[in-house]
């Protein structure tokens, strides 16, 4: 199917200009659709305010709310992760009250002190990405939201301070960073290797920081680390063109294995290859070439169809000649990545495959008792537990971890499918997921995770609300029902923003 020949019944654009798209149906149908869209957008905003108010009342300035006990946790170094992660969504929802509260908080953060080791990856995607995105939005298309311009500038000065605190992590013989570091002693956890995703998911944020400050050191550090991933050594690290191993030796920059997947640990390395090209096609065309190779190899070698549901497509993983037939909620960003690459590069085969992946991940939601998908699942016919035979026969997969910790990836890919095809079905899938999350995860003060998505009421609940419900889950849902703003994902080459892996929109170069 060619990208432009997909039928477009009700795109966000056609809703904005119903007279052009639907000359016969001016008064009734588009208006009714607009009303539904607006009421759904309002419901998502209300969910965001509910979670924000609970965090604000019981957990601020800690990292996250414990939404059952109304306590709080500091899993992200105690710098107020939920506040920083919520900023870009609050901007997109145009809630000036919350935006100003968060800006006041950012000004107070002391990134030079913490009691725990710091994860370079988590800190980059949540804090650095959150602040840079807030800066790009508030200096650009959302400039009217904050009248005090000095409060916006703080986002950039704090970003630079944070990167200056962290940059020693790259000071290794190869330039491949340590991920878990002590910012007081400049020590690390002693790891000999670093993971593919945590090494390869820094370059967007650190390059943006250089482009905004004019100080090239941040871009250079992250791109030097990335260089080993783009030209993998030894040969065995790249069993199929573009698909590379999972661990990189910090001393030499050589890969330590050739195990390939799109699962957690590897995932956002592939995500950022194409996103860097969207960020700046001039500087990052090599990244795009590597993504194309990986995508083609993935279609050829990793695509897998359950025996009981050959109509579904999942991604398997591969190591030394053997395939593992299992996947994860985390992996379900894959449909969105193929759709973004497909539309930007005008490759019908990638679009079609992306929609196949989206359909598979939707099935993991649609076939459970709660309508929410599991943390991990499998379709290996040799290992089906007796208790899940019926599920495997009907749904094509069985559950290996039934937890749901408020992850975004399935909804994220639905959002790309909605934006790029305009088919209402994908927006309905997003709405169904929202209704299910609101039904099973909502507490008096926020949203809690579930222990078993395929048990009545989702099993028990985890007393934790990850900051990414603010940054990602509620943002992607809201975007699907909100107007066609400049930060939305666009068809073709028209993207003015690109989303980091924590769903913070970064302005393209
Ligand atoms: C913005 O957030 C505040 C604080 O949570 C809330 O009370 C208010 O209703 C929100 N405004 C809108 C328009 O949603
Ligand atoms: C970091 O290093 C300092 C100074 O050596 C030490 O006091 C502290 O306990 C270390 N922190 C962690 C989390 O290892
Ligand atoms: C599964 O999808 C069907 C068709 O879209 C829908 O009617 C049904 O409610 C969904 N079930 C769940 C649990 O989401
Ligand atoms: C937590 O706060 C909410 C909202 O104020 C309240 O409904 C709930 O009962 C509280 N839970 C506990 C354990 O105090």
């Amino acid at each position: 199917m060619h990208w432009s020949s997909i039928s477009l019944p009700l795109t966000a654009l056609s809703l904005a200009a119903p007279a052009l798209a639907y000359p016969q149906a001016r008064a009734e149908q588009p208006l009714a659709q607009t009303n539904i869209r607006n009421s759904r957008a309002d419901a998502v905003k209300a969910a965001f305010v509910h979670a924000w108010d609970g965090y604000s009342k019981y957990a601020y300035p800690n990292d996250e709310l414990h939404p059952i006990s109304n306590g709080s946790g500091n899993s992200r170094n105690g710098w107020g992760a939920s506040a920083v992660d919520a900023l870009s969504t609050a901007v997109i929802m145009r809630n000036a009250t919350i935006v100003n509260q968060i800006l006041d908080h950012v000004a107070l953060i002391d990134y030079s002190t913490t009691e725990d080791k710091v994860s370079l990856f988590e800190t980059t995607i949540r804090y650095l990405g959150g602040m840079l995105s807030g800066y790009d939005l508030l200096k650009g298309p959302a400039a009217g939201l904050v009248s005090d311009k000095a409060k916006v500038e703080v986002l950039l000065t704090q970003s630079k301070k944070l990167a200056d605190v962290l940059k020693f992590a790259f000071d290794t013989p190869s330039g491949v960073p340590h991920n878990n570091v002590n910012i007081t002693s400049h020590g690390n956890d002693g790891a000999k290797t670093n993971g593919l995703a945590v090494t390869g998911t820094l370059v967007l944020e650190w390059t943006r920081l250089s482009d905004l400050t004019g100080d090239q050191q941040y871009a250079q550090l992250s791109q030097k680390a990335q260089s080993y991933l783009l030209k993998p050594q030894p040969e065995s690290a790249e069993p199929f063109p573009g698909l590379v191993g999972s661990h990189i030796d910090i001393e030499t920059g050589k890969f330590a294995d050739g195990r390939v997947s799109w699962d957690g640990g590897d995932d956002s390395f592939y995500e950022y290859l194409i996103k860097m090209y969207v960020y700046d096609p001039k500087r990052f065309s090599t990244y795009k070439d590597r993504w194309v190779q990986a995508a083609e190899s993935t279609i050829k070698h990793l695509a897998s169809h359950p025996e009981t549901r050959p109509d579904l497509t999942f991604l398997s993983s591969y190591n030394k000649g053997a395939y593992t037939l299992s996947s994860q909620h985390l992996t379900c960003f894959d449909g969105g990545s193929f759709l973004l690459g497909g539309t930007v590069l005008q490759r019908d085969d990638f679009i079609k495959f992306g929609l196949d992946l989206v359909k598979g991940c939707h099935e993991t939601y649609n076939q459970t008792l709660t309508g929410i998908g599991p943390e991990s699942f499998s379709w290996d016919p040799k290992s089906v537990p007796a208790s899940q035979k019926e599920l495997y026969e009907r749904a094509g997969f069985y559950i290996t971890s039934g937890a749901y910790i408020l992850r975004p990836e399935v909804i994220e890919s639905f959002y790309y499918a909605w934006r790029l095809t305009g088919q209402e079905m994908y927006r309905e899938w997003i709405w169904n997921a929202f209704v299910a999350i609101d039904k099973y995860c909502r507490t008096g003060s926020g949203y809690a995770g579930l222990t078993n998505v395929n048990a009545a009421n989702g099993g028990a609940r985890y007393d934790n609300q990850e900051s990414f419900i603010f940054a990602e889950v509620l943002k992607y849902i809201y975007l699907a029902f909100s107007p066609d703003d400049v930060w939305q994902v666009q068809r073709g080459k028209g993207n003015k923003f690109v989303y980091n892996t924590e769903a913070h929109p970064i302005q393209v170069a």
Side-chain angles (χ1 to χ4, degrees):
M1 192 175 354
H2 188 268
W3 66 278
S4 63
S5 71
I6 294 165
S7 72
L8 305 170
L10 266 178
T11 65
L13 275 171
S14 71
L15 282 167
L20 289 176
Y22 296 94
Q24 318 303 311
R26 273 183 116 127
E28 291 90 4
Q29 207 229 357
L31 191 63
Q33 292 290 341
T34 305
N35 283 342
I36 292 173
R37 190 195 72 187
N38 286 341
S39 74
R40 290 182 172 183
D42 286 346
V44 187
K45 273 199 235 177
F48 183 86
V49 166
H50 171 68
W52 176 260
D53 287 349
Y55 166 74
S56 204
K57 184 165 178 196
Y58 297 111
Y60 178 82
N62 297 294
D63 284 337
E64 60 269 321
L65 172 72
H66 291 167
I68 297 170
S69 61
N70 294 340
S72 62
N74 279 312
S75 70
R76 304 262 79 92
N77 302 103
W79 296 322
S82 289
V84 179
D85 239 5
L87 175 59
S88 63
T89 307
V91 171
I92 283 171
M93 292 180 174
R94 295 190 168 83
N95 190 314
T97 311
I98 299 178
V99 169
N100 276 291
Q101 262 178 290
I102 296 172
L103 292 180
D104 290 340
H105 170 70
V106 169
L108 299 173
I109 302 174
D110 180 359
Y111 283 118
S112 69
T113 330
T114 180
E115 303 201 332
D116 299 311
K117 285 211 167 62
V118 176
S119 162
L120 177 63
F121 164 77
E122 294 287 358
T123 307
T124 293
I125 67 171
R126 300 193 203 209
Y127 288 107
L128 191 56
M131 291 190 295
L132 291 172
S133 173
Y135 184 80
D136 276 339
L137 292 168
L138 291 170
K139 290 287 276 194
L145 209 54
V146 175
S147 44
D148 184 349
K149 298 298 161 211
K151 283 172 83 162
V152 176
E153 288 304 323
V154 167
L155 291 166
L156 189 58
T157 48
Q158 284 286 56
S159 295
K160 188 167 159 33
K161 273 190 191 160
L162 176 56
D164 286 336
V165 163
L166 291 176
K167 65 189 178 191
F168 78 89
F170 293 93
D171 187 11
T172 65
S174 67
V176 170
H178 278 281
N179 192 54
N180 300 308
V181 294
N182 182 327
I183 60 172
T184 311
S185 67
H186 283 195
N188 58 65
D189 62 358
K192 296 277 177 265
T193 62
N194 204 14
L196 179 65
V198 297
T199 308
T201 316
L202 306 168
V203 62
L204 175 60
E205 294 83 351
W206 287 68
T207 298
R208 183 65 186 154
L209 179 61
S210 282
D211 289 351
L212 287 171
T213 58
D215 183 343
Q216 287 313 306
Q217 61 172 323
Y218 313 107
Q220 283 163 1
L221 289 171
S222 63
Q223 290 172 26
K224 167 87 188 186
Q226 187 84 21
S227 67
Y228 299 97
L229 314 182
L230 300 173
K231 290 198 175 108
Q233 294 293 326
E235 229 172 77
S236 58
E238 191 177 0
F240 306 117
L243 292 174
V244 300
S246 286
H247 295 90
I248 305 99
D249 189 307
I250 292 171
E251 200 169 307
T252 62
K254 291 196 161 114
F255 276 80
D257 65 80
R259 188 196 160 279
V260 306
S261 85
W262 286 59
D263 298 343
D266 299 328
D267 45 7
S268 43
F269 160 68
Y270 297 108
E271 180 184 347
Y272 272 28
L273 290 178
I274 191 66
K275 285 184 170 176
M276 290 312 288
Y277 178 72
V278 175
Y279 178 69
D280 188 351
K282 285 200 192 73
R283 271 181 286 171
F284 298 104
S285 73
T286 314
Y287 288 56
K288 177 260 295 173
D289 294 340
R290 292 297 288 169
W291 183 86
V292 168
Q293 285 185 319
E296 288 173 345
S297 290
T298 297
I299 295 176
K300 223 189 255 175
H301 300 288
L302 300 185
S304 177
H305 312 288
E307 271 180 24
T308 53
R309 286 290 304 273
D311 60 312
L312 299 182
T313 303
F314 297 131
L315 295 187
S316 56
S317 50
Y318 173 91
N319 191 22
K320 296 182 183 161
Y323 289 90
T324 303
L325 306 185
S326 70
S327 190
Q328 301 169 342
H329 197 289
L330 284 167
T331 319
C332 284
F333 83 97
D334 54 6
S337 185
F338 271 84
L339 288 167
L340 178 63
T343 192
V344 167
L345 306 173
Q346 303 207 354
R347 287 276 303 254
D348 305 348
D349 53 341
F350 293 156
I351 299 251
K352 184 182 175 311
F353 190 71
L355 293 176
D356 288 346
L357 293 173
V358 169
K359 178 182 165 186
C361 288
H362 172 251
E363 208 67 8
T364 71
Y365 269 52
N366 190 251
Q367 295 281 352
T368 67
L369 271 177
T370 57
I372 301 170
E375 174 72 7
S376 61
F377 55 93
S378 180
W379 57 98
D380 184 342
K382 294 191 297 292
S383 321
V384 187
S387 62
Q388 296 198 60
K389 230 172 149 28
E390 186 276 328
L391 177 65
Y392 174 63
E393 295 293 330
R394 160 169 53 93
F397 66 91
Y398 55 91
I399 295 171
T400 48
S401 164
Y404 175 66
I405 61 160
L406 308 171
R407 288 199 191 282
E409 293 78 17
V410 174
I411 292 169
E412 170 184 344
S413 286
F414 292 170
Y415 168 68
Y416 280 87
W418 154 248
R419 286 297 300 176
L420 301 185
T421 70
Q423 289 179 3
E424 281 294 333
M425 175 179 78
Y426 295 115
R427 211 149 61 151
E428 284 307 302
W429 290 359
I430 294 175
W431 184 249
N432 291 343
F434 173 70
V435 169
I437 291 167
D438 199 56
K439 176 171 175 189
Y440 294 107
C441 302
R442 189 181 177 107
T443 72
S445 58
Y447 291 86
L450 306 174
T451 60
N452 187 354
V453 294
N454 203 28
N457 292 318
R461 289 170 173 197
Y462 295 113
D463 190 12
N464 193 42
Q465 178 181 273
E466 278 277 359
S467 70
F468 47 66
I469 189 169
F470 292 108
E472 305 192 69
V473 175
L474 295 175
K475 180 184 287 111
Y476 284 124
I477 300 170
Y478 178 72
L479 284 171
F481 297 100
S482 67
D484 189 26
D485 281 304
V486 64
W487 47 68
Q488 295 259 16
V489 169
Q490 309 290 338
R491 268 186 228 147
K493 295 186 193 300
N495 284 290
K496 297 284 186 282
F497 282 79
V498 62
Y499 285 73
N500 92 332
T501 196
E502 191 78 357
H504 296 303
I506 302 289
Q507 196 172 317
V508 301

